[in-house]
Amino acid sequence: MYTEQALGAGHTIWRSRGSVEAVIPADGCADLILRNEEVFIAGPSTRWIETRADRGDGTLGLRFPPGAARSVLALDLSEISDQVVLMTDLLGHKATMQARTLLQCAGATWPDVPELVAAFSPQSSQIGPWSAFIHGHARRGTPPWRVAEIMDWSQRTFRRRMQQDFGYPYLTLARIDRAKRARSLLQEGTSLFDAAAVAGYADQAHLSREFRRLVGASPGQFSSSSA
Protein backbone atom coordinates (compact mmCIF):
# COMPACT_ATOMS: atom_id res chain seq x y z
CA MET A 1 0.00 0.00 0.00
CA TYR A 2 1.27 3.46 -0.92
CA THR A 3 0.24 6.64 0.92
CA GLU A 4 1.53 10.20 0.83
CA GLN A 5 0.94 13.58 2.45
CA ALA A 6 1.78 17.01 1.07
CA LEU A 7 3.86 19.11 3.47
CA GLY A 8 3.70 22.41 1.63
CA ALA A 9 6.00 24.18 -0.83
CA GLY A 10 5.72 21.12 -3.07
CA HIS A 11 7.36 18.70 -0.61
CA THR A 12 5.76 15.31 0.05
CA ILE A 13 6.26 12.66 2.73
CA TRP A 14 5.36 9.17 1.52
CA ARG A 15 5.26 5.60 2.78
CA SER A 16 5.11 2.28 0.96
CA ARG A 17 4.29 -1.00 2.72
CA GLY A 18 3.88 -4.36 1.04
CA SER A 19 4.08 -2.82 -2.42
CA VAL A 20 5.37 -4.80 -5.37
CA GLU A 21 7.67 -3.56 -8.12
CA ALA A 22 6.09 -0.71 -10.06
CA VAL A 23 6.86 1.62 -12.96
CA ILE A 24 6.96 5.28 -11.91
CA PRO A 25 6.79 8.07 -14.52
CA ALA A 26 9.50 10.74 -14.57
CA ASP A 27 8.59 13.67 -12.32
CA GLY A 28 11.85 15.64 -12.13
CA CYS A 29 11.85 15.29 -8.34
CA ALA A 30 14.54 14.04 -5.94
CA ASP A 31 13.85 11.87 -2.88
CA LEU A 32 15.44 10.92 0.40
CA ILE A 33 14.51 7.29 1.06
CA LEU A 34 14.73 5.17 4.21
CA ARG A 35 14.68 1.44 3.47
CA ASN A 36 15.89 -1.34 5.79
CA GLU A 37 17.70 1.19 8.04
CA GLU A 38 19.66 2.57 5.07
CA VAL A 39 19.21 6.06 3.62
CA PHE A 40 19.30 6.50 -0.15
CA ILE A 41 19.20 9.55 -2.37
CA ALA A 42 17.13 9.17 -5.52
CA GLY A 43 18.40 11.80 -7.92
CA PRO A 44 16.08 13.85 -10.14
CA SER A 45 14.23 11.53 -12.52
CA THR A 46 14.16 12.36 -16.22
CA ARG A 47 12.87 8.97 -17.39
CA TRP A 48 10.58 6.30 -16.00
CA ILE A 49 11.97 4.09 -13.26
CA GLU A 50 11.04 0.72 -11.76
CA THR A 51 10.80 0.63 -7.97
CA ARG A 52 11.76 -2.30 -5.76
CA ALA A 53 9.28 -4.44 -3.88
CA ASP A 54 9.01 -3.52 -0.19
CA ARG A 55 10.54 -5.67 2.52
CA GLY A 56 10.29 -5.62 6.29
CA ASP A 57 8.83 -2.37 7.59
CA GLY A 58 8.48 -0.92 4.11
CA THR A 59 9.89 2.28 2.68
CA LEU A 60 9.63 5.89 3.86
CA GLY A 61 10.56 8.86 1.73
CA LEU A 62 10.67 12.63 1.49
CA ARG A 63 10.17 13.98 -2.02
CA PHE A 64 11.58 17.37 -2.97
CA PRO A 65 9.95 19.25 -5.85
CA PRO A 66 12.05 20.10 -8.91
CA GLY A 67 14.80 22.55 -8.03
CA ALA A 68 14.50 22.24 -4.23
CA ALA A 69 16.77 19.36 -3.21
CA ARG A 70 20.09 21.11 -3.74
CA SER A 71 19.49 23.44 -0.77
CA VAL A 72 19.48 20.30 1.40
CA LEU A 73 22.00 18.05 -0.27
CA ALA A 74 24.57 20.68 -1.31
CA LEU A 75 25.30 18.65 -4.43
CA ASP A 76 25.37 19.36 -8.13
CA LEU A 77 22.19 17.40 -8.85
CA SER A 78 23.27 16.58 -12.40
CA GLU A 79 25.82 14.21 -10.83
CA ILE A 80 23.06 11.96 -9.47
CA SER A 81 20.32 12.44 -12.06
CA ASP A 82 18.40 9.18 -12.64
CA GLN A 83 20.45 7.36 -10.00
CA VAL A 84 19.73 5.90 -6.57
CA VAL A 85 22.79 6.03 -4.33
CA LEU A 86 23.61 5.42 -0.68
CA MET A 87 23.69 8.73 1.14
CA THR A 88 26.85 7.77 3.03
CA ASP A 89 28.72 7.42 -0.26
CA LEU A 90 27.93 11.02 -1.16
CA LEU A 91 27.58 13.01 2.05
CA GLY A 92 29.16 10.87 4.76
CA HIS A 93 28.02 9.26 7.99
CA LYS A 94 27.00 12.38 9.95
CA ALA A 95 24.63 13.72 7.30
CA THR A 96 23.17 10.23 6.82
CA MET A 97 22.47 9.86 10.54
CA GLN A 98 20.70 13.23 10.60
CA ALA A 99 18.59 12.25 7.59
CA ARG A 100 17.71 8.87 9.13
CA THR A 101 16.64 10.48 12.41
CA LEU A 102 14.43 13.00 10.65
CA LEU A 103 12.84 10.38 8.41
CA GLN A 104 12.18 8.09 11.38
CA CYS A 105 10.64 11.04 13.25
CA ALA A 106 8.45 11.77 10.24
CA GLY A 107 7.38 8.13 10.10
CA ALA A 108 6.41 8.16 13.77
CA THR A 109 4.38 11.40 13.66
CA TRP A 110 3.32 11.39 10.02
CA PRO A 111 1.43 13.21 8.62
CA ASP A 112 1.57 15.88 11.34
CA VAL A 113 5.11 17.08 10.55
CA PRO A 114 4.92 20.65 9.19
CA GLU A 115 8.39 21.39 10.58
CA LEU A 116 10.02 18.59 8.57
CA VAL A 117 10.91 20.61 5.51
CA ALA A 118 12.39 23.43 7.59
CA ALA A 119 14.45 20.91 9.56
CA PHE A 120 15.83 19.40 6.39
CA SER A 121 16.19 22.63 4.49
CA PRO A 122 16.83 25.86 6.42
CA GLN A 123 17.74 27.46 3.09
CA SER A 124 14.57 26.35 1.31
CA SER A 125 13.17 29.87 1.34
CA GLN A 126 16.20 31.00 -0.66
CA ILE A 127 15.78 28.50 -3.48
CA GLY A 128 11.98 28.34 -3.48
CA PRO A 129 11.26 31.55 -5.43
CA TRP A 130 13.86 30.68 -8.08
CA SER A 131 12.63 27.12 -8.65
CA ALA A 132 8.96 28.19 -8.66
CA PHE A 133 9.75 30.97 -11.14
CA ILE A 134 11.53 28.58 -13.49
CA HIS A 135 8.83 25.93 -13.16
CA GLY A 136 6.12 28.47 -13.96
CA HIS A 137 7.84 29.50 -17.19
CA ALA A 138 8.39 25.86 -18.17
CA ARG A 139 4.66 25.19 -17.78
CA ARG A 140 3.82 28.21 -19.93
CA GLY A 141 6.28 27.17 -22.62
CA THR A 142 8.56 30.20 -22.34
CA PRO A 143 11.68 29.64 -24.49
CA PRO A 144 14.89 29.12 -22.48
CA TRP A 145 16.63 32.11 -24.08
CA ARG A 146 13.77 34.33 -22.88
CA VAL A 147 13.95 32.97 -19.32
CA ALA A 148 17.70 33.68 -19.27
CA GLU A 149 17.00 37.18 -20.54
CA ILE A 150 14.41 37.81 -17.80
CA MET A 151 16.91 36.59 -15.19
CA ASP A 152 19.55 38.88 -16.73
CA TRP A 153 21.81 35.86 -17.19
CA SER A 154 23.72 34.57 -20.14
CA GLN A 155 22.27 31.41 -21.68
CA ARG A 156 25.39 29.56 -20.53
CA THR A 157 24.83 30.65 -16.92
CA PHE A 158 21.18 29.62 -17.13
CA ARG A 159 22.09 26.15 -18.45
CA ARG A 160 24.67 25.70 -15.67
CA ARG A 161 22.22 26.73 -12.93
CA MET A 162 19.56 24.38 -14.29
CA GLN A 163 22.00 21.46 -14.23
CA GLN A 164 23.19 22.25 -10.70
CA ASP A 165 19.84 23.04 -9.07
CA PHE A 166 17.43 20.86 -11.06
CA GLY A 167 19.79 18.17 -12.35
CA TYR A 168 18.70 18.48 -15.98
CA PRO A 169 18.12 21.11 -18.72
CA TYR A 170 15.20 23.54 -18.77
CA LEU A 171 13.61 21.86 -21.79
CA THR A 172 13.60 18.54 -19.90
CA LEU A 173 11.54 20.18 -17.15
CA ALA A 174 9.11 21.42 -19.81
CA ARG A 175 8.87 17.90 -21.30
CA ILE A 176 8.15 16.35 -17.89
CA ASP A 177 5.38 18.88 -17.23
CA ARG A 178 3.87 18.33 -20.68
CA ALA A 179 3.78 14.56 -20.11
CA LYS A 180 2.14 15.13 -16.73
CA ARG A 181 -0.60 17.22 -18.37
CA ALA A 182 -1.14 14.53 -20.99
CA ARG A 183 -1.40 11.84 -18.30
CA SER A 184 -4.06 13.85 -16.47
CA LEU A 185 -6.03 14.31 -19.70
CA LEU A 186 -5.88 10.63 -20.56
CA GLN A 187 -6.96 9.66 -17.03
CA GLU A 188 -10.01 11.90 -17.53
CA GLY A 189 -10.92 9.95 -20.66
CA THR A 190 -9.66 12.44 -23.25
CA SER A 191 -8.88 10.89 -26.63
CA LEU A 192 -5.25 10.46 -27.69
CA PHE A 193 -5.70 13.02 -30.48
CA ASP A 194 -7.16 15.67 -28.17
CA ALA A 195 -4.70 14.93 -25.35
CA ALA A 196 -1.76 15.42 -27.72
CA ALA A 197 -3.16 18.71 -28.99
CA VAL A 198 -4.15 20.15 -25.60
CA ALA A 199 -0.91 19.13 -23.86
CA GLY A 200 1.17 20.74 -26.61
CA TYR A 201 2.53 17.81 -28.64
CA ALA A 202 3.11 18.13 -32.37
CA ASP A 203 1.00 15.02 -33.03
CA GLN A 204 0.10 11.62 -31.59
CA ALA A 205 3.42 10.13 -32.71
CA HIS A 206 5.22 12.79 -30.68
CA LEU A 207 3.06 11.97 -27.67
CA SER A 208 3.82 8.26 -28.05
CA ARG A 209 7.59 8.77 -28.24
CA GLU A 210 7.63 10.96 -25.15
CA PHE A 211 5.39 8.59 -23.19
CA ARG A 212 7.63 5.61 -23.81
CA ARG A 213 10.62 7.48 -22.41
CA LEU A 214 8.98 9.43 -19.58
CA VAL A 215 6.05 7.22 -18.55
CA GLY A 216 7.26 3.73 -19.45
CA ALA A 217 4.21 2.84 -21.51
CA SER A 218 2.47 3.86 -24.69
CA PRO A 219 -0.44 6.34 -24.33
CA GLY A 220 -2.84 3.51 -25.16
CA GLN A 221 -1.37 1.22 -22.49
CA PHE A 222 -1.47 4.07 -19.96
CA SER A 223 -5.12 4.82 -20.76
CA SER A 224 -6.06 1.15 -20.39
CA SER A 225 -4.28 0.84 -17.03
CA SER A 226 -5.98 4.02 -15.76
CA ALA A 227 -9.48 2.91 -16.76
Side-chain angles (χ1 to χ4, degrees):
M1 182 178 70
Y2 175 85
T3 50
E4 65 178 36
Q5 173 72 29
L7 297 179
H11 297 71
T12 302
I13 189 79
W14 56 267
R15 185 193 293 277
S16 178
R17 281 178 171 164
S19 298
V20 298
E21 294 177 351
V23 172
I24 306 297
D27 59 10
C29 299
D31 293 65
L32 280 178
I33 299 171
L34 178 62
R35 181 189 295 126
N36 298 330
E37 298 301 313
E38 291 186 310
V39 180
F40 298 86
I41 300 174
S45 63
T46 66
R47 53 181 173 78
W48 65 270
I49 61 171
E50 187 172 11
T51 62
R52 300 179 185 177
D54 287 324
R55 296 179 181 177
D57 293 331
T59 308
L60 181 69
L62 174 65
R63 180 174 302 121
F64 298 92
R70 189 168 186 246
S71 64
V72 178
L73 303 177
L75 290 170
D76 181 334
L77 291 184
S78 66
E79 297 177 357
I80 57 170
S81 180
D82 296 312
Q83 299 178 57
V84 179
V85 294
L86 275 171
M87 190 171 182
T88 51
D89 292 343
L90 289 177
L91 300 178
H93 181 71
K94 181 178 180 181
T96 301
M97 291 297 293
Q98 292 174 335
R100 181 185 295 130
T101 298
L102 284 167
L103 282 167
Q104 288 172 335
C105 175
T109 61
W110 181 78
D112 187 22
V113 284
E115 74 286 355
L116 183 64
V117 172
F120 263 111
S121 181
Q123 300 174 354
S124 60
S125 61
Q126 299 176 21
I127 196 170
W130 139 256
S131 60
F133 171 83
I134 296 300
H135 211 162
H137 278 287
R139 290 190 187 99
R140 294 193 292 273
T142 307
W145 65 265
R146 177 55 181 154
V147 180
E149 188 177 71
I150 294 170
M151 298 292 292
D152 197 24
W153 288 346
S154 68
Q155 293 189 52
R156 181 178 180 180
T157 296
F158 180 50
R159 287 193 296 269
R160 176 173 54 80
R161 285 292 304 271
M162 284 296 304
Q163 291 285 358
Q164 291 176 340
D165 292 353
F166 284 78
Y168 43 79
Y170 173 80
L171 291 179
T172 298
L173 177 63
R175 289 173 57 219
I176 290 170
D177 273 341
R178 185 169 54 201
K180 185 177 181 180
R181 289 197 299 273
R183 281 162 36 213
S184 295
L185 290 166
L186 292 173
Q187 286 175 329
E188 293 168 1
T190 305
S191 70
L192 298 184
F193 178 84
D194 289 339
V198 173
Y201 290 97
D203 50 34
Q204 286 181 240
H206 185 200
L207 171 64
S208 295
R209 289 194 302 272
E210 289 290 273
F211 253 57
R212 288 189 176 90
R213 173 175 174 78
L214 299 176
V215 181
S218 70
Q221 290 170 331
F222 178 81
S223 295
S224 299
S225 66
S226 301

